[in-house]
Amino acid sequence: MIKVALPNKGVLFEPTMELLSACGYKVARTQGALSVLDNENQVEFYFLRPSDIPVYVSNGLLDAGITGQDFVAEKGVEPTQLLELHFGASRLCAAVPFDSPITTLEQVAELRIATSFPVITRKALGNPDLKLVQLEGAVEIAVQLGIAEAVVDVVDTGRTLAEAGLRVVGEPLFRSQAAFYAHPGREVMGEVTIMKQRLEGKLVAMEYMMVEYDVPGEILADACRVTPGLESPTVTRLQREGWYSVKAMIARREAHNIMDELSRMGCRGILLTNIESARI
């Protein structure tokens, strides 16, 4: 049985629960529970602060975990990243008051900066002598309260910064998303490998759809070029003379354009269906 850390709150919590549930894991917990035992899948889940998960996993106290890449970078530890999970995307940006004359990150580095990510900030700005004010939350209010001249904070839409009278300066210092990590060497454990494969399968299913359609033989080759599939499309001869049935995986973002093209070509019975999971 493996021990896996999961975020106990924040923007990573709900997507993590939904993803693991969709992969067949039992992660529902009673109010306030710190752990959940999934006997069927031989996993014990622990609900921890996302910022603490890198330490537990890298030190080997837990076998694997899901958390943000920014939390891993900030802790300066090195669990093995097995998979990016394509949710929880964020940017760590520097910001100053709207009326500030500051326009570059080099200028920001000369200011007194409030942040919850001092390690990333020092590394990104390349100045070990930065004047930092380390805070655990509500960083955007630091300038208004007079304890800092700039902030480095996680930005999604930028609305929170704008409401605090701040604007972003320069490019993001760090880009992050949720990822699946393992203690170095434990990525080969059976249950860890299975979890990685299930997560990969669900992510593939989210990126692809299945298209099926009937096509006359004279345009079969052209239709297959529109839907080449991953290796090649599945082609089956129909009872109707000269007609074939084709099935192929297609990118979800292109699905409706592909349906339009198949219809224009003369294909019939075009069906588009979701994929629950996949192994490629």
Side-chain angles (χ1 to χ4, degrees), residues 67-84:
T67 191
Q69 293 169 323
D70 49 355
F71 294 122
V72 174
E74 180 61 28
K75 291 298 183 183
V77 294
E78 296 185 356
T80 301
Q81 181 176 299
L82 303 183
L83 190 64
E84 291 184 335

Side-chain angles (χ1 to χ4, degrees), residues 1-9 12-13 16-17 20 25-29 32-38 42-54 56-57 60-67 180 186 195:
M1 179 172 290
I2 60 171
K3 297 179 178 180
V4 177
L6 304 179
N8 65 348
K9 60 181 179 180
L12 299 182
F13 175 74
T16 298
M17 298 299 104
L20 287 170
Y25 291 100
K26 298 175 176 58
V27 292
R29 59 172 177 158
L34 299 179
S35 64
V36 169
L37 188 62
D38 183 353
Q42 288 293 289
V43 183
E44 188 168 9
F45 294 105
Y46 290 84
F47 296 94
L48 305 170
R49 289 177 56 179
S51 59
D52 291 336
I53 290 175
Y56 283 99
V57 175
L61 299 174
L62 299 176
D63 301 303
I66 292 175
T67 191
F180 180 47
R186 297 185 191 172
M195 183 172 290

Side-chain angles (χ1 to χ4, degrees), residues 183-195:
H183 179 72
R186 297 185 191 172
E187 63 271 18
V188 298
M189 295 176 67
E191 289 83 1
V192 174
T193 299
I194 289 172
M195 183 172 290

Side-chain angles (χ1 to χ4, degrees), residues 90-94 105 124 153 155 168-176:
S90 65
R91 299 169 293 143
L92 194 66
C93 297
L105 291 175
D153 199 13
V155 176
V168 171
V169 176
E171 292 296 312
L173 277 63
F174 192 87
R175 294 182 185 273
S176 177

